Every structure is written in structure tokens, then in C-alpha cells.
Amino acid sequence: MEEQKIIEKVEILPNNFSENDSVYISQENIKNLILFSKENQTVLELLITPFLICVNSGLKYELHYYKISTEISKNDTEIIGFPLENKLSKEITDNISPKLLVKREDYPAFEKFLSQYFIAMKNMKFTDDKQAIDILEQGASLFYEVL
């Protein structure tokens, strides 16, 4: 299945949030990105940006430092971590890596990278981000924009 078709298949599921031309995939639907790509062992090039969104009010907050990407590589599969001198919180640097360079044939690495990321994001407390805490207190939920 073509990459864009897999993303679109996930975007049309119920409980996602749409605004203008953007679709934000709910926490419960995002696992389908792995499920649908697994059918044909399709490694996808993705940019995934998480957002906290209050569905009732439309209030939206981008979790910029929590975004990840996957890119097809002709070389070996490699997880790219944060630079050592970064000033990000330990919650981020201990739980997620920002990029996966993956061989098209290495679907297991792709699946593991995404699975670990979605589990980590589900458990994040965002304690070092006052704006995130404020929006969570207003009933925000975690959504993902996938490009």
C-alpha cells in the first residue's frame, strides 16, 4: 500500500480532530499507522508532530520538541539521538529519539521505533513545559499530525 494511502486510511478513522486542511490523529487511532503499514511491511517516510488539543474549544498546542521523523536510508538502519549538549528535559531525551534512518527492508526496526515512541508519548507528563501542563488542565488530549 502506498505511503499516502496508509496515512489517509488512518486520518479518516473516527475520533480524529480536523481543522482547516489539517487532520490530527487521536492517541487511540495512531497505532493503526503501524497496523496498516504492517500488512505489506511498508516502511514509511514520516514526520510526526504531537499536539495537545482541547477538542471542545479548539485550543491547540504543538509539542515541537517531541516530534520525530523516519527516513528511508540506503545504508544501515540508525537511530539518531539528540545532541549531547542539548538543553531538553530528561523526560524527552530519556524516552524518545528524534529520527530513524531505516533501510526499506528493515520493517521490524521501523515498527519498533514507532511503537516505542507512541508508548513513551502516552506516558509523558510534560512536567517541564508550563504551557503543556496548562492546556492539559483544560482537558486537552494528545493528537498527532502525520506528514
Side-chain angles (χ1 to χ4, degrees):
M1 187 179 291
E2 183 185 319
E3 289 183 19
Q4 192 55 40
K5 288 184 180 182
I6 291 171
I7 295 169
E8 289 171 3
K9 194 173 171 182
V10 177
E11 288 179 338
I12 62 170
L13 294 171
N15 301 318
N16 291 334
F17 179 79
S18 298
E19 181 180 71
N20 301 326
D21 290 335
S22 298
V23 176
Y24 303 92
I25 301 168
S26 68
Q27 181 72 27
E28 54 271 9
N29 288 339
I30 197 66
K31 64 184 175 282
N32 289 302
L33 193 63
I34 298 169
L35 185 68
F36 297 154
S37 66
K38 190 173 192 168
E39 292 172 3
N40 295 322
Q41 300 285 297
T42 305
V43 172
L44 309 172
E45 287 197 308
L46 303 170
L47 173 62
I48 300 175
T49 306
F51 286 82
L52 292 173
I53 300 175
C54 291
V55 175
N56 295 336
S57 68
L59 185 61
K60 182 173 58 183
Y61 180 68
E62 179 181 343
L63 295 162
H64 176 74
Y65 295 112
Y66 296 81
K67 72 172 58 173
I68 64 164
S69 65
T70 59
E71 293 180 17
I72 305 298
S73 171
K74 291 181 179 147
N75 300 320
D76 291 337
T77 296
E78 178 183 7
I79 295 175
I80 308 296
F82 292 102
L84 293 176
E85 64 278 355
N86 78 74
K87 304 236 188 264
L88 297 172
S89 73
K90 280 189 76 57
E91 182 180 49
I92 296 171
T93 59
D94 287 353
N95 292 298
I96 62 175
S97 297
K99 182 183 270 189
L100 174 69
L101 299 174
V102 61
K103 292 175 71 167
R104 194 166 291 281
E105 306 81 37
D106 196 357
Y107 182 82
F110 172 77
E111 180 180 7
K112 181 179 178 183
F113 181 78
L114 287 183
S115 295
Q116 289 175 339
Y117 172 73
F118 295 134
I119 289 168
M121 287 302 296
K122 185 177 181 180
N123 295 314
M124 291 285 181
K125 302 290 184 223
F126 309 108
T127 53
D128 291 332
D129 190 332
K130 184 173 177 356
Q131 286 182 293
I133 295 297
D134 289 347
I135 194 170
L136 282 170
E137 289 174 354
Q138 296 179 47
S141 298
L142 188 59
F143 288 84
Y144 301 90
E145 183 177 46
V146 179
L147 304 172

